[in-house]
Amino acid sequence: MIGDRVFTRLARSASRFTARSLSFAIAVGVILAWALTGPVFGFSDTWQLMINTGTTIITFLMVFLIQNTQNRDTEAMQIKLDELIRATHNAHNALLDLEELEDREIDAFRARYILLAQQARERGEVFDDLSGKDGTGRG
């Protein structure tokens, strides 16, 4: 859809711009200019309303921008992790696309892996891995 592509490009560009030090410097400059004009406007309600309205609008828009960026990053990371699982010999392909499961199903996977981790610790495997005694020749 054309609207989605335009939004994606706009969000990506805005995200890159707002993440730069120049953007922060501009924001600080705006705040300083606002503060310095306080005496000129007699620290009036209108003077205060200007900054409140501006920051509210920017915050409102940034929420959507941040959420979009975070969702895209998370989705890309999930695809990369899915590919690593798929391509790894003896990996459990049931772990692919876990984010689409119901909470109780994810909890069941988590409980299984917690149990496996506890069993490995009881056997001392974690210490073998850390010391390089896992038979891989590392360490």
Side-chain angles (χ1 to χ4, degrees):
M1 198 167 167
I2 277 190
D4 288 342
R5 284 197 305 247
V6 169
F7 177 73
T8 298
R9 285 188 197 151
L10 178 65
R12 190 177 299 137
S13 296
S15 176
R16 286 186 183 135
F17 176 74
T18 57
R20 296 174 190 255
S21 59
L22 174 63
S23 298
F24 181 76
I26 290 170
V28 168
V30 168
I31 298 298
L32 285 174
W34 170 78
L36 292 173
T37 61
V40 174
F41 293 102
F43 300 101
S44 67
D45 290 343
T46 303
W47 173 78
Q48 291 179 31
L49 186 61
M50 286 175 46
I51 196 69
N52 289 341
T53 302
T55 55
T56 300
I57 291 169
I58 290 170
T59 301
F60 180 75
L61 294 174
M62 288 301 291
V63 165
F64 294 101
L65 177 67
I66 291 167
Q67 190 63 51
N68 175 269
T69 302
Q70 193 170 20
N71 287 351
R72 290 176 48 76
D73 289 348
T74 300
E75 288 174 11
M77 189 180 336
Q78 286 302 320
I79 291 168
K80 292 173 185 179
L81 289 171
D82 286 348
E83 174 58 13
L84 289 173
I85 292 169
R86 187 202 61 79
T88 303
H89 182 67
N90 290 331
H92 299 281
N93 286 337
L95 297 176
L96 292 169
D97 210 18
L98 279 180
E99 66 276 4
E100 300 300 325
L101 297 178
E102 298 293 325
D103 285 344
R104 63 179 175 74
E105 295 168 313
I106 292 173
D107 289 343
F109 273 106
R110 184 178 298 114
R112 176 69 179 131
Y113 279 92
I114 288 171
L115 179 63
L116 288 172
Q118 289 171 343
Q119 291 170 348
R121 286 184 198 110
E122 289 170 4
R123 291 189 302 266
E125 292 177 12
V126 68
F127 300 111
D128 290 344
D129 290 347
L130 292 174
S131 65
K133 298 176 185 172
D134 59 356
T136 63
R138 291 178 287 173

